[in-house]
Amino acid sequence: MLSIKSSLLLLATVTGVALPATAQRLKRITEATVVTMPLTKTLGTKGTLGGVCVDADGTIFVANFNARLWRIEPNGETTLLKKTFTKTSGNTIAPDGRLIQCDFALNRVYEVDKHTGALTTLVNAGLNGPVGVAASPSGELFIANCNSQTIRRGVPGSSFASLFASSPLFNCPNGIAFGPDGNLYVVNFFDNNILRVDSAGVVTLFATCGTTGNGGGHIARVGNDLYATMFSSHDIYKISMSGQVERLIGVEGQAGLRDGKAPYAHLRYPNGIAADPSGGFLYTNNLDGPRDFSVISEMRLRRILLP
């Protein structure tokens, strides 16, 4: 029996009708492998997830979008770093090594001491639902705000984040990261689009990941490529700088926690994503339970070996 892709290619050959651009450009990488990390503590959450970032020494920081931020050593040793946030959303490790964490409900961005959990407020004005943050080498913070559909810019020495970009293309801008070209790349939460934001704040559509679901998560850079989680469709995509989209791992629209190689491995509501310093691994947090804020579920940390 022919696969759907083979059938489409045969149909195009026989009829002379070109495939849609998305069908031509969407490929699947079959070599990626996902493994659920064994942790020394259970990571509880309710209904959704926050960000993931990885330090230069391989330490992983995972937020649960409730009130907690966890520190996880590469061997799985797990420590609750801080539990007094309100809604721990996106985070990042800045180029100077600082751990930066957004609080969605308090409209704040903090620096978090990576060992004690002590907080230093960096931005507490100008934000409205901050869910993602990217840091530049000069210390600027570019903060994705879901509620105001904007990217705001914070500068060292000021607690106010000014407007950097606003566009009707934003649909709850969620994940944000710098690409190898120096532009910012943003994942929408309420659709599956990746947007490019240039140094002047001009927003353009860069890529569309998959065909189902409407919930993009976060985004990470590895070398010259970007990797984005699609929360609602349960998969992760690789996007080249030419805009070519490839499904890295997961089965679109099918949730699960099966480890192994693509295309057999499953993800379940992947949200945060970050690269290991070696560039050989990605980490993502998955939800082992329903999207129900009244139910305590377990957050799973998955490690993905890149091809």
Side-chain angles (χ1 to χ4, degrees):
M1 181 180 291
L2 291 175
S3 67
I4 294 175
K5 181 178 179 181
S6 298
S7 301
L8 285 172
L9 289 173
L10 179 60
L11 178 63
T13 302
V14 172
T15 64
V17 177
L19 293 177
T22 52
Q24 293 175 4
R25 296 171 65 191
L26 179 61
K27 300 179 180 179
R28 178 190 286 279
I29 304 171
T30 59
E31 300 86 359
T33 304
V34 62
V35 175
T36 302
M37 286 188 64
L39 306 180
T40 59
K41 290 185 179 179
T42 299
L43 310 184
T45 189
K46 289 184 178 181
T48 191
L49 304 165
V52 176
C53 60
V54 184
D55 205 357
D57 64 0
T59 304
I60 309 147
F61 298 92
V62 184
N64 70 353
F65 202 75
N66 296 152
R68 298 187 174 194
L69 178 65
W70 301 86
R71 175 189 170 103
I72 302 172
E73 308 300 332
N75 65 2
E77 182 180 345
T78 305
T79 305
L80 178 58
L81 185 62
K82 194 72 176 178
K83 62 177 181 179
T84 57
F85 294 101
T86 304
K87 292 289 184 184
T88 43
S89 46
N91 50 30
T92 192
I93 300 293
D96 60 7
R98 292 177 300 155
L99 170 58
I100 311 297
Q101 176 68 54
C102 297
D103 191 313
F104 176 84
L106 289 182
N107 294 316
R108 293 183 181 180
V109 176
Y110 299 99
E111 177 185 347
V112 185
D113 187 287
K114 291 181 283 189
H115 299 281
T116 68
L119 302 181
T120 300
T121 301
L122 300 177
V123 180
N124 61 9
L127 304 180
N128 190 356
V131 282
V133 58
S136 74
S138 64
E140 292 180 308
L141 300 178
F142 294 86
I143 305 158
N145 290 259
C146 175
N147 292 343
S148 61
Q149 312 288 358
T150 60
I151 306 299
R152 311 283 296 192
R153 176 168 53 191
V155 298
S158 174
S159 60
F160 175 76
S162 60
L163 179 65
F164 178 71
S166 178
S167 169
L169 292 174
F170 286 141
N171 195 2
C172 182
N174 193 23
I176 183 170
F178 280 101
D181 56 0
N183 292 316
L184 288 164
Y185 291 84
V186 178
V187 184
N188 279 337
F189 184 74
F190 288 126
D191 59 38
N192 49 355
N193 290 333
I194 310 292
L195 308 176
R196 176 192 281 144
V197 185
D198 69 16
S199 59
V202 176
V203 182
T204 54
L205 177 62
F206 178 63
T208 298
C209 297
T211 58
T212 64
N214 62 347
H218 288 261
I219 189 166
R221 172 191 171 187
V222 178
N224 291 321
D225 298 308
L226 300 170
Y227 294 84
T229 57
M230 291 292 122
F231 183 80
S232 291
S233 58
H234 314 290
D235 45 8
I236 294 176
Y237 290 85
K238 174 184 175 183
I239 309 102
S240 72
M241 283 295 95
S242 65
Q244 179 174 289
V245 177
E246 303 172 273
R247 186 176 297 117
L248 175 71
I249 205 155
V251 180
E252 186 176 5
Q254 297 183 29
L257 293 169
R258 179 191 296 166
D259 287 348
K261 290 183 176 292
Y264 307 105
H266 284 71
L267 304 176
R268 185 177 178 85
Y269 299 114
N271 188 59
I273 188 168
D276 181 85
S278 69
F281 293 94
L282 292 170
Y283 292 93
T284 182
N285 51 348
N286 285 201
L287 182 64
D288 187 1
R291 289 191 65 187
D292 186 338
F293 287 94
S294 66
V295 177
I296 297 177
S297 300
E298 188 170 349
M299 179 168 56
R300 302 285 188 178
L301 183 63
R302 318 286 300 279
R303 179 163 55 195
I304 301 167
L305 174 63
L306 294 175

